[in-house]
Amino acid sequence: MIKHVADESADAIRISFWALHRDSDVDALATVLSKHLAVTA
Amino acid sequence: MTFVDPRPDVSVEALQALNDDFLYFNVAGSGPTFPVAQRAAEAYRTWMNGVGMFSHVGYDSYNAELSETRADLARFIGDADGASRIALTQSATDGLNTLVASLPLGPGALIVTTAEEHPAALLPVYRRQDRGDRVRVVALRDDERFLSEVAQAFRDGAQAIVLSLVSCRTGRRLPVEAAVGLARAAGAVSIVDCAQALGQLPIEVRALGADAAVFLGHKWLHGPLATGATWVADPGRWTPSRVGWRSRTDHDLAGHMTLNDDATRFEIGTVDVAAFVGLRQALAVHRVLGARVGERVRALRAGLLQAVGDLPLDRLGRADDPTGIVVVQPRSGGGPGTRIGS
């Protein structure tokens, strides 16, 4: 779960993590992001 | 009787509240409560319910636990003797609303805030316009330009500034000490929102130089929900906008009241004391972890930035901001159809 920030000045995602997270969590997030980020020309 | 373990197990396994299959990256919204803090709160709640809050046993304990929580929070933010400067609140939003509404300003005052603020700060500041006050929102592009615009606002007569230590929008650490210094030099009042800072950055509240600061327990501290605090350098300078039976030492039927001398003049009524016991347990976890929190956050930030570096995203904020908040948006010029997928 991450936060989608969408208002008049931004369309962004906020990722926030703390010391409890593991390196593998970050790797998994990056993988999910790359799969879900839809880019069309 | 004590419900807080000063040397809790701080292994990842012991502190992890989430289910194994749940990947959660919204600590800036709410950090899951440490199980040990949850247990401390529930144990106290069960005990209190067995004696009744307004029994002589229950109410003495209620007051003692809240007093110890104020003292513990003051120590945690670097004001060792500052219990009298702490008021317990339900959240940062709660504290900001009360402080901003209580700002001791002259009529038609100009109030400065920033575009980095959460609605929890912006909306109470906007509300001051109903009293005839004016608001100036300063953008944060770079620190130098930001401070220049803040300085200009004080030259224009601004009487107060409300700003965050860490931005919820970008994860940036704002140049708070310098901005607050400008306010002080102008004789203006300053309020710092530390909601996104406490628990991921060490805080020495007096070093910020502000007149007041706001904290909460359920984000980076991983404490129970509905726990927060306000630190006020000089409580006697403020007249609270809202008061209740916990705010005063005396009142009569002729319309007089005598407020508490200390920051508890900002407290109004009954709170969930058990949640504040849980908050103290969360503080005990942080004390045992010490500098490991910051070190780990910085390492994870570096790893995340590297892992998403090849994706068509622009980062808001700086690579070396010392926070666990990373905000990205579709790369500028990435094409008319560039968007964030669901």
Side-chain angles (χ1 to χ4, degrees), chain A residues 1-2 7 9-23 25-26 28-30 34 36-40, chain B residues 23-28 168-169 199 220 222 286 293 296 300-301 307 312 324-330 337 339 341-342:
Chain A
M1 177 178 287
I2 57 180
D7 59 27
S9 64
D11 181 19
I13 57 173
R14 186 181 71 188
I15 303 160
S16 53
F17 48 86
W18 195 69
L20 276 180
H21 282 92
R22 299 164 297 193
D23 292 347
D25 295 333
V26 169
L29 173 68
S34 65
H36 283 75
L37 199 65
V39 179
T40 56
Chain B
L23 199 55
Y24 182 83
F25 284 91
N26 195 14
V27 179
C168 65
R169 296 182 61 79
W220 304 93
H222 295 263
H286 282 261
V293 172
R296 185 74 185 133
L300 285 167
R301 183 184 184 90
I325 302 175
V326 173
V327 182
V328 292
Q329 62 184 13
R339 63 181 175 81
S342 60

Side-chain angles (χ1 to χ4, degrees), chain B residues 95-181:
Chain B
L96 285 164
N97 254 275
T98 298
L99 284 176
V100 172
S102 307
L103 274 167
L105 307 179
L110 174 62
I111 303 173
V112 186
T113 188
T114 89
E116 299 295 308
E117 303 311 309
H118 191 278
L122 283 178
L123 299 187
V125 170
Y126 291 171
R127 180 62 88 193
R128 293 282 310 207
Q129 295 174 122
D130 296 345
R131 304 183 186 188
D133 292 337
R134 295 161 294 138
V135 176
R136 185 177 299 180
V137 180
V138 176
L140 176 65
R141 298 176 184 86
D142 60 74
D143 287 2
E144 186 176 357
R145 185 170 170 185
F146 171 75
L147 290 170
S148 173
E149 293 183 15
V150 169
Q152 182 60 52
F154 287 119
R155 283 194 295 274
D156 293 341
Q159 295 183 32
I161 185 168
V162 180
L163 78 170
S164 289
L165 181 53
V166 171
S167 167
C168 65
R169 296 182 61 79
T170 60
R172 287 186 66 166
R173 188 195 191 285
L174 275 68
V176 164
E177 292 86 346
V180 165

Side-chain angles (χ1 to χ4, degrees), chain B residues 47-59:
Chain B
W47 176 83
M48 175 62 93
N49 206 40
V51 300
M53 178 194 148
F54 277 119
S55 68
H56 65 288
V57 175
Y59 196 54

